[in-house]
């Protein structure tokens, strides 16, 4: 990696030489993935305890200034039916329907997550109410920062949709956004005047840095070739390069990427088409006064949860497993399998799939396309087997890379730990993106303490139950079993005034993990 000298933007001015500056607390969460609900809801719905905890901590620690960082993938513009329904996809930004689709998705997110009747949760309503509710506890200032992820980048391309997010989700009017904030976001993206017009909607910052919290936070997509866009000037192998990104106006992270073809193209499109087919079958069944089979009911529940698998490739394998079980309705099984095959074929025939794919994977994609063409001439079962095993291989590579904790060599490239940034005194590098909560203590500089923290995610997820070694399962030819659970992780950082009789401020940080199982989440 080639290092570059760089200037870090700080949104808060902190006089670290003043031991009596206000008591401050920072809270960081990531990857809440608020969707419009049209192909399922990923995010958790139980936010009351989390906001209550923030209130109690502010009271107990006599916090005067609270900073709440939402570290990317807050709104999910990818996982929705609207791309497939309109036949326009996230990489087709020049299409006349693109702005309308993005705005419709944001409107759906508002309806689902702003406390409206029939919605999924009250997160944004509670977020807007937080400053007022904390006033009685002595909190004088609450700042919310929403950072850029890889599932929310489409909103940047439609200023009207971004304005809707600011107003309805955060409760901000554009004219109330401070000029200093606009200047720093613009400067971060390479043009300090880009958002200075008070009627413009500033983009989400790419990172957050704070001297008092000794903290550097960014989403983490800059390390992921699937979810960033390789350009001649930059690829993920070149690492963290702010000055290059400024010259490129951060196109590696604002342009569409390969991950969009999987999430919006294959998975969300298939879920919508399959649900539509089952709804038509339901109308036919009701008209004929027929009973719904248990297998069909199970398939509907699986489709509702299909968006909760990580990596996404596993969801394709799961739906193939379920259609095999649908012995009593082979006609429905064939319909669902045909829809899946069509979605995969469509994916493999998009030029953008290959343009955006990491180079090594293009060979595998072209091989699969050729094999599926041959298999289609022989037998449908061969097609499904090829799709299933290809997706399992992709999932294995993805999972194998993600499960392991980050390596020491990787952490040396993180911005908080780069030699040129050590003058800022960062102790913590935080990120999300992978959905895997991690923590490490890298020994990077003699006599210095550093911590890497991955915030994981705050959502529901489907996990495969542990049934022994993969080779034993293969010998027994057993089908995997699954369970749904809710997960959440938050980082808390305290920067407090000295205790009585002392002259050194109190600095500490911790993470809290929240895993929830319940009868509501379980079903057989």
């Amino acid at each position: 990696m080639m290092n570059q000298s760089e200037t870090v933007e700080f949104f808060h001015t902190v006089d670290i030489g003043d031991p009596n500056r206000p008591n401050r607390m920072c809270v960081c969460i990531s990857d809440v993935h608020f969707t419009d609900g049209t192909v399922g809801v990923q995010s958790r719905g139980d936010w009351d305890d989390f906001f209550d905890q923030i209130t109690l901590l502010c009271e107990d620690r006599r916090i005067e200034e609270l900073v709440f960082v939402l570290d990317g993938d807050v709104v999910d513009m990818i996982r929705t039916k609207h791309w497939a329904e309109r036949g326009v996809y996230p990489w087709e930004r020049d299409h006349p329907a693109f702005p309308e689709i993005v705005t419709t998705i944001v409107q759906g997110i508002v309806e689902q997550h702003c406390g409206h009747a029939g919605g999924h949760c009250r997160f944004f309503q509670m977020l807007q109410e937080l400053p007022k509710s904390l006033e009685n506890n002595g909190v004088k200032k609450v700042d919310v920062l929403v950072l850029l992820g890889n599932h929310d980048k489409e909103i940047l391309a439609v200023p009207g949709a971004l304005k809707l997010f600011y107003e309805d989700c955060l409760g901000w009017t554009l004219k109330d956004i401070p000029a200093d904030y606009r200047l720093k976001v613009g400067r971060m993206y390479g043009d300090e005047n880009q958002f200075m017009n008070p009627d413009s909607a500033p983009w989400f910052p790419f990172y957050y840095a704070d001297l008092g919290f000794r903290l550097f936070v960014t989403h983490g997509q800059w390390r992921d070739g699937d979810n960033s866009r390789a350009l001649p000037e930059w690829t993920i192998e070149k690492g963290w390069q702010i000055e290059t990104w400024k010259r490129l106006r951060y196109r590696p992270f604002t342009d569409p990427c390969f991950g969009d073809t999987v999430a919006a193209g294959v998975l969300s499109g298939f879920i919508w088409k399959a649900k539509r087919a089952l709804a038509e079958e339901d109308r036919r069944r009701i008209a004929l006064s027929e009973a719904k089979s248990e297998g069909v009911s199970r398939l509907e529940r699986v489709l509702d949860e299909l968006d909760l698998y990580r990596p996404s490739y596993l969801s394709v394998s799961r739906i193939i497993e379920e259609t095999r079980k649908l012995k009593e309705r082979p006609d429905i099984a064939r319909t669902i399998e045909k829809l899946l095959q069509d979605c995969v074929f469509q994916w493999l025939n998009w030029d953008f799939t290959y343009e955006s794919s990491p180079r090594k994977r293009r060979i595998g994609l072209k091989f699969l396309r050729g094999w599926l063409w041959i298999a289609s001439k022989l037998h449908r079962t061969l097609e499904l087997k090829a799709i299933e095993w290809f997706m399992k291989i992709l999932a294995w590579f993805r999972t194998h890379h993600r499960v392991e904790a980050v390596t020491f060599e990787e952490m040396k490239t993180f911005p908080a730990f780069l030699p040129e940034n050590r003058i800022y005194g960062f102790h913590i590098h935080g990120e999300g993106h992978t959905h895997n909560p991690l923590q490490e203590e890298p020994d990077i500089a003699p006599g210095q303490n550093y911590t890497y923290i991955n915030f994981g995610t705050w959502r529901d997820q489907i996990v495969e139950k542990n049934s022994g070694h993969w080779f034993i399962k293969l010998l027994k030819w057993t089908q995997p079993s699954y369970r749904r659970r809710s997960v959440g992780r938050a980082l808390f950082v305290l920067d407090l005034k000295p205790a009585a009789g002392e002259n050194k401020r109190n600095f500490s940080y911790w993470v809290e993990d929240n895993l929830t199982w319940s009868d509501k989440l379980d079903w057989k």
Side-chain angles (χ1 to χ4, degrees):
M1 185 198 74
M2 181 178 69
N3 291 335
Q4 300 179 344
S5 60
E6 56 189 40
T7 302
V8 176
E9 294 294 340
F10 294 92
F11 290 98
H12 299 114
T13 301
V14 179
D15 183 0
I16 57 174
D18 178 12
N20 294 310
R21 63 182 182 268
N23 285 339
R24 305 173 71 227
M25 181 170 76
C26 181
V27 181
C28 300
I29 62 174
S30 187
D31 291 83
V32 291
H33 285 277
F34 291 130
T35 68
D36 64 5
T38 55
V39 292
V41 176
Q42 298 188 48
S43 55
R44 295 180 59 159
D46 52 340
W47 290 98
D48 297 78
D49 289 345
F50 176 71
F51 280 97
D52 287 346
Q53 182 183 21
I54 292 175
T55 301
L56 290 172
L57 280 169
C58 287
E59 181 178 3
D60 183 61
R61 305 303 175 96
R62 298 182 180 179
I63 299 300
E64 297 166 86
E65 296 181 1
L66 172 68
V67 178
F68 194 162
V69 179
L70 297 168
D71 183 27
D73 284 358
V74 177
V75 291
D76 194 320
M77 309 302 297
I78 300 298
R79 298 180 181 277
T80 173
K81 74 173 186 178
H82 292 294
W83 301 115
E85 185 178 48
R86 299 291 296 273
V88 178
Y89 290 91
W91 51 94
E92 299 177 302
R93 296 188 179 181
D94 293 332
H95 195 285
F98 182 88
E100 179 188 349
I101 294 171
V102 171
T103 302
T104 300
I105 295 168
V106 176
Q107 289 170 338
I109 292 170
V110 169
E111 292 171 3
Q112 286 286 338
H113 305 285
C114 289
H116 294 295
H120 177 66
C121 74
R122 299 190 305 118
F123 178 87
F124 288 118
Q125 179 187 6
M126 299 172 79
L127 185 64
Q128 292 182 40
E129 294 172 350
L130 189 61
K132 188 69 174 177
S133 68
L134 292 178
E135 280 183 4
N136 293 333
N137 294 328
V139 179
K140 301 172 183 175
K141 184 179 181 183
V142 176
D143 283 332
V144 176
L145 288 103
V146 179
L147 305 189
L148 180 66
N150 55 291
H151 277 237
D152 45 21
K153 60 190 180 300
E154 285 68 28
I155 199 173
L156 305 186
V158 183
L162 185 54
K163 176 176 180 286
L164 179 63
F165 171 79
Y166 278 128
E167 291 179 346
D168 286 28
C169 294
L170 300 186
W172 301 357
T173 62
L174 295 185
K175 293 185 183 299
D176 290 336
I177 297 177
D180 182 62
Y181 178 86
R182 291 176 173 278
L183 177 76
K184 290 176 178 177
V185 174
R187 202 157 55 199
M188 181 180 289
Y189 282 101
D191 180 0
E192 63 182 22
N193 296 313
Q194 184 174 357
F195 306 115
M196 290 309 292
N197 186 325
D199 293 324
S200 67
W203 288 1
F204 300 149
F206 192 74
Y207 61 84
Y208 173 72
D210 190 279
L211 297 178
F213 296 130
R214 309 178 199 175
L215 172 69
F216 194 104
V217 175
T218 190
H219 182 64
Q221 74 275 45
W222 63 279
R223 302 197 295 116
D224 182 354
D226 282 358
N227 290 294
S228 58
R229 189 72 179 273
L231 296 173
E233 302 88 343
W234 183 86
T235 62
I236 61 167
E237 289 76 19
K238 294 184 178 180
W240 184 269
Q241 293 196 344
I242 283 183
E243 298 306 318
T244 297
W245 297 340
K246 284 181 180 179
R247 290 194 295 271
L248 295 171
R249 296 299 176 91
Y250 278 74
R251 281 188 52 212
F253 316 109
T254 58
D255 279 6
C257 61
F258 177 78
D260 300 340
T261 70
V262 178
V266 180
L267 184 56
S268 295
F270 168 72
I271 294 173
W272 170 66
K273 292 173 183 178
K275 284 188 171 185
R276 185 176 61 175
L278 290 179
E280 291 174 0
E281 163 60 22
D282 218 34
R283 286 191 290 271
R284 184 204 65 81
R285 178 188 61 79
I286 292 171
L288 296 175
S289 301
E290 294 177 355
K292 181 184 291 188
S293 72
E294 178 56 35
V296 173
S297 296
R298 177 184 176 85
L299 185 60
E300 289 175 338
R301 291 195 292 268
V302 169
L303 283 170
D304 284 338
E305 297 182 336
L306 207 60
D307 206 25
L308 301 180
Y309 292 80
R310 287 296 181 276
S312 299
Y313 309 115
L314 287 175
S315 61
V316 177
S317 301
R318 176 71 194 273
I319 204 66
I320 294 174
E321 293 169 10
E322 291 300 325
T323 55
R324 288 197 189 112
K325 298 176 183 177
L326 202 58
K327 306 295 186 183
E328 71 272 26
R329 289 300 304 271
D331 56 325
I332 294 180
R334 284 193 298 270
T335 297
I336 300 301
E337 289 169 353
K338 180 64 166 57
L339 288 173
L340 177 60
Q341 289 168 305
D342 290 346
C343 287
V344 173
F345 267 116
Q346 183 184 38
W347 175 54
L348 292 172
N349 283 285
W350 280 323
D351 291 339
F352 187 76
T353 300
Y354 300 92
E355 292 170 10
S356 61
S357 174
R359 188 175 302 172
K360 294 179 181 178
R361 186 178 299 138
R362 293 175 198 167
I363 299 172
L365 292 172
K366 291 178 180 178
F367 174 80
L368 177 63
R369 183 170 64 180
W371 169 246
L372 290 181
W373 183 85
I374 295 171
S376 67
K377 306 299 181 184
L378 300 174
H379 198 280
R380 183 174 59 87
T381 303
L382 292 177
E383 285 185 81
L384 284 172
K385 274 291 184 185
I387 293 172
E388 180 180 14
W389 280 103
F390 185 76
M391 294 300 175
K392 283 184 176 180
I393 290 169
L394 289 177
W396 184 86
F397 277 111
R398 192 82 170 157
T399 304
H400 179 73
H401 175 73
R402 290 286 181 81
V403 167
E404 302 297 328
V406 291
T407 67
F408 177 71
E409 292 303 316
E410 286 177 312
M411 287 187 285
K412 284 165 59 177
T413 70
F414 293 174
F417 309 143
L418 291 176
E420 57 267 36
N421 288 340
R422 290 178 195 162
I423 59 172
Y424 299 119
F426 298 130
H427 282 209
I428 311 165
H429 178 87
E431 67 177 8
H433 183 60
T434 67
H435 293 197
N436 288 324
L438 298 170
Q439 54 281 324
E440 289 288 343
E441 311 287 347
D443 189 11
I444 290 176
Q448 299 295 317
N449 293 318
Y450 295 110
T451 306
Y452 163 75
I453 297 173
N454 191 298
F455 307 132
T457 181
W458 200 292
R459 62 191 292 275
D460 286 358
Q461 59 182 203
I462 300 291
V463 295
E464 185 178 333
K465 294 180 181 178
N466 188 339
S467 56
H469 194 275
W470 67 269
F471 186 69
I472 301 299
K473 290 190 287 184
L474 186 63
L475 289 177
K476 293 181 178 179
W477 200 251
T478 57
Q479 292 293 332
S481 298
Y482 303 89
R483 195 173 186 194
R484 181 171 177 169
R485 67 188 182 193
S486 292
V487 298
R489 166 176 271 209
L491 168 68
F492 297 86
V493 186
L494 294 178
D495 173 30
L496 305 178
K497 295 175 183 176
E502 298 181 3
N503 56 15
K504 186 177 180 180
R505 288 181 70 86
N506 293 311
F507 171 73
S508 63
Y509 52 96
W510 70 95
V511 295
E512 293 197 7
D513 291 309
N514 185 316
L515 276 76
T516 302
W517 298 264
S518 70
D519 287 344
K520 184 179 179 181
L521 297 175
D522 286 332
W523 59 272
K524 302 297 184 183

